[in-house]
Amino acid sequence: MSNADGRSAARLAAVQALYQMDITDKGLKETCAEFETFWLGGEVEGQIYKPAELAFFKDILSGVLADQGPIDRAIDQTLVDGWPLVRIDSVLRAILRAGAYELKKRTDVPARVAIKEYVDVAGAFFEREESGMVNAVLDHLARRFRAEEFERPR
């Protein structure tokens, strides 16, 4: 498995873990332990999960939680008036938070790569409209957090 595949699997798992934490009272340590033991590279209810880059998975989770207030405010500022983040589906909320964290803090990952990855994650759960919304919000945030990546030619 390539490093890119491990990171893709880590992103998907992080979104699932963030969703789980959002709808339950489980904390970071408990959620990380559960995913590491049962989900990452395992089989759950007949679904085979790809091995994920564990350090990347944990970084996304802990990073989103540590910076959740500023991340949520940045997403809220990007969403259409009248649709604050709290009104968005909890899976979409997890996708946007993970994507925003990566764009804001993981400058080792090109912004366009991060955006594409989270649009792909959205496509695993939703139709084109939601994936398009994820693309638009993350693109806006990328241009805000990493304007220099969009100023120079490709």
Side-chain angles (χ1 to χ4, degrees):
M1 179 180 70
S2 74
N3 187 40
D5 288 342
R7 285 197 164 189
S8 293
R11 287 179 180 100
L12 177 60
V15 165
Q16 291 170 315
L18 287 167
Y19 164 78
Q20 180 176 308
M21 292 170 71
D22 198 28
I23 63 166
T24 68
D25 289 329
K26 290 184 180 175
L28 178 62
K29 286 183 181 180
E30 183 181 1
T31 302
C32 279
E34 179 183 328
F35 271 74
E36 191 173 350
T37 304
F38 299 108
W39 292 78
L40 305 179
E43 182 178 341
V44 178
E45 298 174 3
Q47 207 51 349
I48 304 289
Y49 287 83
K50 292 180 180 177
E53 186 180 311
L54 185 59
F56 195 66
F57 165 78
K58 287 181 175 181
D59 180 69
I60 294 169
L61 274 188
S62 60
V64 167
L65 294 179
D67 206 24
Q68 190 167 329
I71 286 171
D72 285 0
R73 283 189 293 280
I75 294 168
D76 270 338
Q77 291 167 359
T78 306
L79 292 170
V80 176
D81 286 341
W83 285 99
L85 188 59
V86 296
R87 291 185 61 190
I88 302 286
D89 175 88
S90 52
V91 174
L92 274 175
R93 210 170 30 243
I95 293 168
L96 292 173
R97 284 174 173 158
Y101 165 74
E102 199 167 328
L103 290 168
K104 187 175 181 185
K105 300 288 187 172
R106 293 298 305 239
T107 56
D108 57 312
V109 177
R112 287 180 175 91
V113 170
I115 294 167
K116 183 193 178 314
E117 288 281 326
Y118 287 104
V119 168
D120 290 348
V121 170
F125 295 100
F126 300 102
E127 301 297 322
R128 284 181 53 191
E129 184 176 339
E130 290 88 350
S131 295
M133 188 268 285
V134 167
N135 185 60
V137 169
L138 294 182
D139 182 72
H140 181 82
L141 291 173
R143 291 171 189 279
R144 181 171 151 200
F145 295 144
R146 301 205 205 162
E148 69 284 352
E149 284 188 47
F150 294 89
E151 291 170 359
R152 57 191 151 151
R154 288 184 184 183

